[in-house]
Amino acid sequence: MLKNIQEWVILMIIVSFMVIIGNWIGYEVMPLESLPGIIVLASISLLGLIIHRAVPYKGIPSIAYIGILAFILSMPAVPGSEKIVEWTGKVNLLAIATPILAYAGISIGRSWTDFAKLGWKTVIVGMFVLLGTFLGSAIVAEIILRMQGII
């Protein structure tokens, strides 16, 4: 388990660095300003992964432990939750999502043989899913922006 924790820490450091850069360039939040929030988010993620590994029942995914832990730590009744919410509020969600999606793309790219076994139909379905998601998001954004009078 120690080897897993070491790998997770290295991964958290790499992703945190990318999030800091993305938050700085994309949303003009200075690195030192977003650093406490990124440390909190990485720590919660790491602790959730450790809990998942330590609990004998594996029916619950690690993201559930991370989400429950984050929920508990951000509740107003928990001491220090105001600071946690303040710090994490300075980290933009899209700055977090970008390196995570890049990592997912790399992991898929590492297993092209498995992906190729799924066949050409999977690629076509995947393209339609991506196209539908993009168009659906664009339509919803257009409707909301017109309702608000922004466009």
Side-chain angles (χ1 to χ4, degrees):
M1 182 155 139
L2 184 60
K3 183 175 172 31
N4 287 336
I5 293 173
Q6 290 171 339
E7 290 175 0
W8 294 334
V9 168
I10 291 169
L11 183 64
M12 294 294 171
I13 290 170
I14 292 168
V15 170
S16 295
F17 180 72
M18 291 190 305
V19 171
I20 287 173
I21 299 299
N23 210 33
W24 181 25
I25 293 172
Y27 303 99
E28 299 177 0
V29 179
M30 296 305 291
L32 288 177
E33 188 178 348
S34 64
L35 187 61
I38 291 172
I39 290 171
V40 167
L41 291 171
S43 300
I44 290 171
S45 299
L46 185 61
L47 189 57
L49 289 169
I50 292 169
I51 292 170
H52 179 259
R53 185 57 63 119
V55 172
Y57 178 68
K58 299 298 179 202
I60 299 173
S62 59
I63 189 70
Y65 291 109
I66 295 168
I68 291 167
L69 186 60
F71 176 73
I72 291 170
L73 291 175
S74 63
M75 290 174 54
V78 175
S81 66
E82 297 84 17
K83 277 294 183 193
I84 290 174
V85 171
E86 177 187 337
W87 291 335
T88 56
K90 294 181 182 174
V91 182
N92 193 291
L93 177 64
L94 290 178
I96 297 170
T98 303
I100 292 171
L101 292 174
Y103 180 75
I106 290 169
S107 67
I108 289 172
R110 286 178 45 198
S111 61
W112 278 111
T113 54
D114 295 336
F115 186 70
K117 289 178 188 175
L118 297 174
W120 62 271
K121 294 176 187 175
T122 305
V123 174
I124 292 174
V125 170
M127 285 198 270
F128 278 113
V129 168
L130 290 172
L131 180 66
T133 303
F134 174 76
L135 291 177
S137 299
I139 290 169
V140 169
E142 180 78 20
I143 292 169
I144 298 297
L145 292 173
R146 285 193 188 271
M147 287 173 47
Q148 292 178 342
I150 295 173
I151 58 170

